[in-house]
Amino acid sequence: MSSYNLTHLAQLEHEAIFIMREVAAQFERPALLFSGGKDSIVMVKLAQKAFWPAKFPFPLVHIDTGHNFPETIAFRDQLVAETKSRLIVRYVADSIKAGRAVEEKGPNPSRNSLQTVTLVDTIEELKYDACLGGARRDEEKARAKERIFSARDEFGQWDPKNQRPELWNLFNGRKHVGENFRVFPLSNWTEMDVWQYIAREQLAIPSIYFSHDREVVNRNGVLLAKSPWITLLPGEKYEQKRVRFRTVGDATCTGSVLSTASTLAEIIQEVASARQTERGTRADDKRSDTAMEDRKKKGYF
């Protein structure tokens, strides 16, 4: 069938499946980075389609900050059981104990950036030469600079000025010893595409993506959920709000949005009218104008 006769979701799906098969063909030890969020859930579904009826040929790797939303971890374990996938978990807390990373101080010490150390160490430990991630170019300006096959040096670092051309869907996976790749099959997807695909495929997702009552504190415009890792500042207090999460990450820096969207159709409608990007709720991206790019240069996802 001609690609001109396919819906845009079908074209995006075909491209992502092609990329995943390229990874399986070009690399010896690939892995799929899995957070339990909507993008990585879509990635698992695409991997199942790419290699059906066989199982997809790579494990799911979760870099656990220890500051997770309980709903996300419960969903992760349920999905792994249902898909009979192999899950590998490495903990930021272990990197801190080993002196490889230093815990932040302050009222909401985030471990989000510390994931970089744990991820790079995990890649070296398990000799992964390609890690599939669910990042998309529409998420953030630093993401928009990145290729689908993103080369990383022997230290896991990304150089935005040294990237390979990707013309006519030709992906160059050649690497030197010690180097590896991050691969992003959803690069050309948008947040709306992801939600429409979830609705089309009727994928299960963690409950925190739907509207619910939660205690939150407004800190610098970010609605942070009550958690054991957040200390209230003078004058602050938790308030019960009707919220949902557009993105899932470290609970100390991932904000919620006021919302009454309790179905996929309502979420899609809400996303269509949103004036803020989904990462506009992430406090870690507000630390500086180049926060994401600085983390990526050090080896972040």
Side-chain angles (χ1 to χ4, degrees), residues 4 17 35 37 50 61 145 190 244 263 277:
Y4 295 108
I17 287 174
S35 67
V61 175
K145 295 180 180 181
T190 65
R244 73 176 192 87
T263 66
T277 67

Side-chain angles (χ1 to χ4, degrees), residues 30-51:
L32 194 158
L33 302 177
F34 186 79
S35 67
K38 65 184 187 303
D39 300 303
S40 55
I41 292 167
V42 167
M43 289 277 288
V44 169
K45 182 63 177 180
L46 291 167
Q48 288 178 306
K49 288 191 174 189
F51 301 100

Side-chain angles (χ1 to χ4, degrees), residues 138-195:
D138 76 318
E139 288 181 274
E140 205 271 344
K141 57 190 177 184
R143 299 283 201 205
K145 295 180 180 181
E146 197 153 34
R147 299 289 192 264
I148 293 174
F149 271 40
S150 179
R152 306 299 173 102
D153 65 19
E154 62 271 26
F155 302 106
Q157 297 174 329
W158 172 68
D159 182 358
K161 298 178 181 179
N162 183 25
Q163 299 191 74
R164 301 172 182 184
E166 293 182 338
L167 305 175
W168 306 291
N169 282 341
L170 296 176
F171 301 111
N172 183 357
R174 294 181 181 177
K175 61 180 180 59
H176 297 294
V177 175
E179 296 177 341
N180 62 82
F181 279 76
R182 310 294 162 78
V183 181
F184 304 110
L186 304 187
S187 286
N188 293 326
W189 296 49
T190 65
E191 182 188 11
M192 177 64 81
D193 295 329
V194 170
W195 282 117

